[in-house]
Amino acid sequence: MYHLRFSFPFTLKTLTAIIFCFFFLLSPKAFSQKRVKLKHADVGKGGVKDGARIDRFIGNVEFVQNNTTIYCDSAIFYKSKNTIEAYGRIRITEGDSVTVTSSGLTYDGNSKTAFLRKNVVFTKLGIATLYTDFLDYDRRKNEARYFNGGKLVDSTNTLTSKKGYYAIPTNMASFKTDVVGVNPDYTLNADTLQYNSKTKIIYFRSHTTVIGSKEGETAVYESGIYDTNKKLSTLNDGVIETKSYRMNGLAYYLDDVKKFYKAKGKVVMTSKEENTIIYGDDGDYDKAKGVTKVYGHAYVAKIDTDLDTLFISADTLVSIENDDPEKKALLAYNHVKIFKADMQGKSDSLVYTTADSTLYFYSDPVLWTSGNQMTADSIRILLKGRGVDKVYLVANSFVISEDTLKNYNQIKGRLMIASFNGQTITNVTVQGNGESLYYALQEPEKDKKKDIDKKELDKPLPTYTMGMNKIICSNMKLNFKEGKINNISFYIKPDASFIPPHELEEGDTRLKGFKWRLEEKPNRVDVIKK
């Protein structure tokens, strides 16, 4: 037979001690940490209101609860409710770090919440000061909330809003509705914003507008962070605008000390003075040097006053700004392509000077305009109005055009200058080592006899080649009419010959260095990168 024995770990003495401690915790002394106590008053008077005892105190009134001390000129103390109504010069101290003053106060000792009204000043020593007329200070949460307007001031910023709260342990202030921030460098407006008054970092939580105090620049963005001490910003989805420029991007990294700014994602930089827009994946702006760099699917649109647009694309685009107009320029590096209604081209690098509206092409440049392909060691284009004014082909110059019969008219020389009237080439001047091949075409006259059917007369008659003109001359000038060679003037020992079609051989139809590159000619979609 089994016998069960139960063993209790508690002795009677231990059990008695536990019961004593339990009742001790329930005793009024244990609750004393929650009770508000009167520490001092010049005059005190007791009474009854609505069946409950109240105490009135006047003159240098002082209450304490834990580390909190409440000072006032007069007060009503509801002992049973553990509540104070204070009047006059009210001051609350929380240890040695927080001080609050106001003209009116209701303090709930049970919830440890102070309801402060009129002329409220909440100070976190050495950190920030909050001004409002309506403040609820929750000591348990260590949080001060205001409504109906408030202002936070520290050594760097002044921030106001309709609603907000201040978390005392983290020094994080949150602002809501009609937020305005003022700083020696800017003024900002937002709907929602947070600010750490110790680290001096602003957290933008909604659509924000910032206006610079010195140059009037404006920034509008959706969210981000700004370190007001280091003057460093990380911003999202915004527009930055000055009197001369505007920049759009999905993300920004701004250093106001070094004056260096980065934009990332669908970057668009607009020069208002130059009517120029630069597009790319990423962009850098060095304000101190006046240099803007855009890269990644980069292209620029130069808009003339009559809305004709020149597009330039490259791996990297660099804009140089300067107070001296002669030093302003746009640089393009690697895989350069250009497109204009009457002009297309490509090269390895390009320089565009805004002062004289001139494009400089370097490293294997090729240009197509007015039905002509132009190549040289370097090409310089002077723009005027809607079109090209002059094209300078420097060293190993070569111009090729294809006629209606697929013949290639060619001009070659050391230096060429092509002149244009709007979109039409008017003449080409060759200086040094001039060579030319051009074909003479003839369209037969229609037979005007009455017996020919009218329908037959309306049919286009075929064009045929009469022969090829070959000219070698140091200098020459070719005049064009409607984009075609009309006549040629020769200077210094010309050597000219006319070769009939039946005598032409393949080697006669090409000048040395001939290369037809029409397949490289960029279209608009090749330049405007998406």
Side-chain angles (χ1 to χ4, degrees):
M1 186 174 185
Y2 293 92
H3 296 277
L4 299 176
R5 171 177 288 183
F6 295 92
S7 178
F8 293 93
F10 298 107
T11 64
L12 181 61
K13 184 177 181 181
T14 302
L15 183 61
T16 302
I18 293 172
I19 294 172
F20 175 80
C21 291
F22 177 76
F23 282 102
F24 173 79
L25 292 172
L26 295 177
S27 68
K29 186 176 181 181
F31 280 110
S32 64
Q33 296 297 315
K34 292 185 177 181
R35 305 300 300 179
V36 176
K37 292 183 177 181
L38 176 70
K39 187 176 181 180
H40 180 270
D42 292 344
V43 178
K45 183 179 180 182
V48 177
K49 182 179 180 181
D50 298 329
R53 177 181 173 82
I54 62 171
D55 295 291
R56 299 178 185 272
F57 302 102
I58 301 174
N60 299 308
V61 182
E62 184 177 347
F63 293 94
V64 294
Q65 185 184 37
N66 304 115
N67 293 326
T68 301
T69 304
I70 301 173
Y71 304 89
C72 58
D73 290 339
S74 62
I76 299 174
F77 182 34
Y78 299 88
K79 191 171 184 180
S80 61
K81 296 180 180 180
N82 201 28
T83 301
I84 301 170
E85 291 179 4
Y87 306 93
R89 294 169 297 176
I90 298 164
R91 178 165 58 95
I92 300 176
T93 61
E94 185 77 29
D96 57 0
S97 62
V98 174
T99 300
V100 192
T101 62
S102 69
S103 299
L105 165 69
T106 298
Y107 182 75
D108 185 335
N110 295 328
S111 65
K112 296 185 177 180
T113 302
F115 302 92
L116 300 118
R117 303 295 182 263
K118 294 184 181 180
N119 304 316
V120 183
V121 180
F122 182 98
T123 302
K124 180 77 180 288
L125 186 64
I127 303 295
T129 302
L130 176 64
Y131 300 88
T132 182
D133 283 330
F134 302 88
L135 184 73
D136 294 346
Y137 174 30
D138 189 328
R139 291 181 49 242
R140 291 184 303 180
K141 294 182 179 179
N142 263 329
E143 181 180 279
R145 288 183 174 270
Y146 66 86
F147 47 95
N148 289 340
K151 177 174 67 174
L152 182 76
V153 179
D154 66 6
S155 60
T156 306
N157 300 279
T158 298
L159 292 151
T160 61
S161 66
K162 284 188 176 180
K163 297 184 291 183
Y165 68 88
Y166 186 80
I168 297 165
T170 62
N171 300 294
M172 183 68 79
S174 299
F175 303 87
K176 182 70 176 177
T177 310
D178 297 336
V179 184
V180 178
V182 178
N183 181 288
D185 298 325
Y186 61 81
T187 299
L188 67 83
N189 297 87
D191 180 72
T192 304
L193 180 146
Q194 288 184 299
Y195 175 61
N196 191 302
S197 56
K198 185 173 184 179
T199 63
K200 311 298 184 186
I201 295 177
I202 297 175
Y203 300 85
F204 305 106
R205 304 302 189 191
S206 68
H207 186 85
T208 303
T209 300
V210 179
I211 300 175
S213 303
K214 297 178 181 179
E215 299 179 7
E217 65 274 12
T218 301
V220 180
Y221 38 85
E222 296 304 318
S223 61
I225 297 173
Y226 177 50
D227 188 325
T228 60
N229 278 336
K230 298 178 181 179
K231 295 187 176 181
L232 294 174
S233 303
T234 301
L235 309 173
N236 300 313
D237 195 7
V239 179
I240 299 175
E241 188 166 2
T242 69
K243 293 180 180 179
S244 303
Y245 295 92
R246 181 171 62 250
M247 178 173 14
N248 299 62
L250 297 181
Y252 295 92
Y253 306 93
L254 314 179
D255 188 332
D256 285 328
V257 175
K258 295 181 179 179
K259 302 297 181 183
F260 189 83
Y261 311 96
K262 293 179 70 68
K264 298 183 72 64
K266 297 182 180 180
V267 174
V268 181
M269 295 184 178
T270 303
S271 172
K272 301 175 185 177
E273 297 174 352
E274 303 297 336
N275 284 335
T276 300
I277 307 173
I278 302 177
Y279 302 83
D281 293 338
D282 304 297
D284 301 338
Y285 175 45
D286 189 331
K287 187 175 181 180
K289 296 180 179 178
V291 175
T292 300
K293 182 185 293 185
V294 178
Y295 40 92
H297 300 92
Y299 72 95
V300 60
K302 168 64 177 173
I303 304 172
D304 291 330
T305 54
D306 50 12
L307 301 182
D308 188 33
T309 302
L310 168 67
F311 297 99
I312 304 171
S313 68
D315 290 350
T316 303
L317 294 170
V318 178
S319 175
I320 300 174
E321 62 181 50
N322 198 289
D323 292 335
D324 183 355
E326 298 292 331
K327 296 180 180 179
K328 289 185 176 181
L330 174 71
L331 314 179
Y333 297 106
N334 300 327
H335 306 105
V336 177
K337 295 178 182 178
I338 71 166
F339 180 89
K340 200 171 184 285
D342 59 331
M343 180 178 63
Q344 301 80 41
K346 60 179 295 187
S347 67
D348 186 66
S349 59
L350 175 147
V351 176
Y352 174 66
T353 55
T354 59
D356 55 5
S357 297
T358 301
L359 289 162
Y360 298 83
F361 295 81
Y362 301 100
S363 186
D364 193 28
V366 55
L367 181 72
W368 294 269
T369 183
S370 295
N372 296 280
Q373 173 185 291
M374 302 181 180
T375 59
D377 289 355
S378 66
I379 298 177
R380 183 169 82 252
I381 303 174
L382 177 60
L383 301 174
K384 184 178 181 181
R386 292 192 55 168
V388 178
D389 184 32
K390 292 185 184 298
V391 176
Y392 298 85
L393 308 175
V394 182
N396 296 311
S397 307
F398 211 127
V399 177
I400 306 172
S401 64
E402 186 180 44
D403 66 22
T404 56
L405 297 181
K406 304 298 181 179
N407 297 312
Y408 295 107
N409 295 313
Q410 302 155 57
I411 310 169
K412 182 180 177 182
R414 187 173 61 247
L415 170 66
M416 290 190 202
I417 303 173
S419 299
F420 291 77
N421 181 11
Q423 299 183 14
T424 305
I425 189 169
T426 57
N427 62 75
V428 174
T429 300
V430 182
Q431 300 177 6
N433 303 326
E435 297 181 59
S436 174
L437 297 180
Y438 74 94
Y439 290 82
L441 304 183
Q442 179 65 48
E443 182 177 322
E445 293 185 4
K446 292 181 178 180
D447 193 340
K448 301 298 184 180
K449 292 182 179 180
K450 296 180 181 179
D451 57 345
I452 293 184
D453 192 291
K454 187 178 185 302
K455 291 183 180 180
E456 292 295 324
L457 286 174
D458 292 337
K459 290 182 180 180
L461 296 175
T463 300
Y464 62 91
T465 300
M466 297 175 60
M468 185 188 75
N469 292 286
K470 182 176 183 179
I471 304 164
I472 300 175
C473 184
S474 180
N475 297 342
M476 64 179 72
K477 183 176 182 181
L478 298 89
N479 296 306
F480 289 73
K481 185 177 182 180
E482 296 180 356
K484 300 177 181 179
I485 295 175
N486 186 40
N487 59 71
I488 304 176
S489 300
F490 311 103
Y491 307 94
I492 308 175
K493 298 179 180 181
D495 181 6
S497 60
F498 180 81
I499 305 173
H502 63 277
E503 294 182 12
L504 282 173
E505 297 181 2
E506 185 65 27
D508 297 328
T509 62
R510 303 286 190 270
L511 293 176
K512 185 179 180 180
F514 175 92
K515 187 178 180 181
W516 187 239
R517 302 169 61 178
L518 188 63
E519 73 281 357
E520 301 177 40
K521 181 180 177 181
N523 295 312
R524 192 175 188 271
V525 293
D526 298 321
V527 179
I528 301 177
K529 303 181 179 182
K530 300 297 183 183

